[in-house]
Structures are given as structure tokens and as C-alpha cells.
Amino acid sequence: RAIALDMDSEIGDAHRGAAVTFGTMTGDRSMDDYFYSDLILIWCCNPTVTQIPNAHFLNEARYKGAKIHTIAPDYNASAVHSDLFVPVKPATDAALALGMCHLLMEEGGVNETFCVEQTDLPLLVRMDSKSFLNEADIRDEGDQNTHLFINEPDAKILPASKGSLALGDSKPKLEAVSTVRLLDGREVEVRTVYALLRERLKGYTPEFVAKTCGIGVGMVH
């Protein structure tokens, strides 16, 4: 789980529609929020060179106890002022990120309560078409834009609310594999997005990531 900062600080752009509608360009935070950070990752950027007016916020955050880790193929100007430098090979950032996700899942680092309520990870995906299972697939006059999940207490397939993220009395099952009967009579296997993600991440072990990125296994952990 990460905290997003104001992207206008990153790219110098403006979101005019949001500004007219809400009175502010974005709903994110400003750079001085770095002061409240425990860990800051400098990744895919070099703020000491490219964000000179904002770079001091990063360095001053260290006075309040924040640790700064720079992930980059070169020992750049931002890496010089970091607590840890992770020297990945060029174009291997994705492997490192997927390896981090692999460890979060396998070592119990996932906030499951957050994922169940705030993400699409409990929603069911049809294995025949690789598309979300929707209400119209299994029920007469069902809504094609209503996705489904398995309710953990009673194993019933229920529709996900389109009006609120509040779960109420339901408890979507985060990791599940099951079979459903479609309206045309066919039975298809369904899996939650979370189950598919875990399967996708299986190969990104610390050893594989370390070899791909050219770093030590300890760096992945």
C-alpha cells in the first residue's frame, strides 16, 4: 500500500476538468507530506536533478526519521543522498516490483481487509473468456455491468455494489476457485482476481528476481 503525491509536482501538468469541478487540480497530497513518511522510494526518477525545487523535502524528511531507498541502474545524484541504493539492470524494474508483490502474498504482508473492500481482487473471472463474470452471464435479466463475488460465510455468488464500497453484511472471499453454470447451460471455472494474481506471481521468487535484476537476493527482501 503506497501513498500517492501530487502528480503535478512530478510532471508539471494540470487537470483542468478537476480544477473547474472541484476547485483543485488533484485530490493528492503535496510534497511536504514526505515529512510524515517512514520509507520513501525514489524509483523511475531522479528528483535531485529533475525536481530541484522539491528535492529538499526528500532530504529533510530524513531528519524526521524517514529512510530513502533509490532504485535505479545508475548511481545518480539522488542515490548519493539515499540510505540504500538498489542497482537494478536497465529495464528490469517490473521484475523487481512483481517480486515484491510475490513476497507480500507469500509472507502474509497483504492487508486482506483493505483488498476485499477497496479493490477488485475478490471479483470473479471466467476462465473460458478471461473476462469478469457478470450478472447477465448467470441470471435472467441480469445486469451486464454488475460483477460478482463469492460470499465467504455461505458460499453464495452475490453482486458487487455499484453505488458504494461498503460491504454491509457480506464478506467477499478473496482467494477462490469455483465452477458456475451459465445461462446457456455450460459450466465454466471461475477464479477471483486475487487467485489469478497469486498464480501470475509464482515465478517471481527472490532468486529469479535477483538474477533478472542483477542484485543480491537480500536486496529483494
Side-chain angles (χ1 to χ4, degrees):
R1 183 174 157 188
I3 300 299
L5 294 174
D6 185 350
M7 280 304 297
D8 295 291
S9 302
E10 297 281 331
I11 59 177
D13 205 349
H15 310 282
R16 299 316 310 164
V20 171
T21 305
F22 301 110
T24 179
M25 286 186 293
T26 68
D28 296 319
R29 296 164 172 82
S30 56
M31 294 293 287
D32 54 356
D33 256 15
Y34 278 132
F35 294 146
Y36 303 103
S37 302
D38 297 318
L39 173 66
I40 300 170
L41 297 182
I42 298 178
W43 202 345
C44 297
C45 62
N46 182 10
T48 300
V49 173
T50 62
Q51 297 181 32
I52 294 174
N54 297 321
H56 70 94
F57 288 112
L58 288 165
N59 297 321
E60 290 165 14
R62 298 177 73 192
Y63 291 119
K64 294 180 69 67
K67 296 294 184 181
I68 298 180
H69 295 177
T70 294
I71 302 168
D74 60 325
Y75 191 55
N76 56 45
S78 297
V80 172
H81 302 290
S82 299
D83 299 285
L84 177 67
F85 171 52
V86 184
V88 295
K89 292 179 182 177
T92 63
D93 302 76
L96 178 59
L98 291 169
M100 293 164 64
C101 293
H102 169 89
L103 287 175
L104 285 172
M105 277 192 166
E106 298 303 320
E107 297 183 357
V110 176
N111 185 336
E112 294 189 357
T113 301
F114 176 86
C115 289
V116 166
E117 184 184 70
Q118 300 289 323
T119 75
D120 66 355
L121 292 175
L123 299 182
L124 295 172
V125 177
R126 294 172 48 166
M127 289 297 94
D128 62 333
S129 62
K130 299 300 189 296
S131 59
F132 280 112
L133 180 72
N134 63 66
E135 201 175 37
D137 290 332
I138 63 172
R139 293 171 186 156
D140 289 322
E141 300 182 359
D143 183 6
Q144 191 173 11
N145 296 314
T146 296
H147 301 317
L148 305 168
F149 64 85
I150 295 177
N151 193 38
E152 192 163 1
D154 55 18
K156 289 183 178 180
I157 294 181
L158 299 179
S161 171
K162 293 190 292 184
S164 171
L165 292 175
L167 297 175
D169 296 329
S170 63
K171 184 182 179 183
K173 193 168 185 178
L174 189 57
E175 185 166 10
V177 178
S178 186
T179 302
V180 299
R181 185 180 297 276
L182 304 180
L183 280 177
D184 61 11
R186 291 183 298 129
E187 288 192 348
V188 298
E189 180 181 307
V190 293
R191 299 186 184 188
T192 61
V193 176
Y194 188 89
L196 290 173
L197 180 59
R198 183 187 286 277
E199 183 68 25
R200 178 70 176 85
L201 294 174
K202 272 187 177 179
Y204 288 90
T205 62
E207 293 74 20
F208 173 80
V209 172
K211 182 178 180 181
T212 302
C213 298
I215 57 178
V217 174
M219 282 283 192
V220 183
H221 282 279

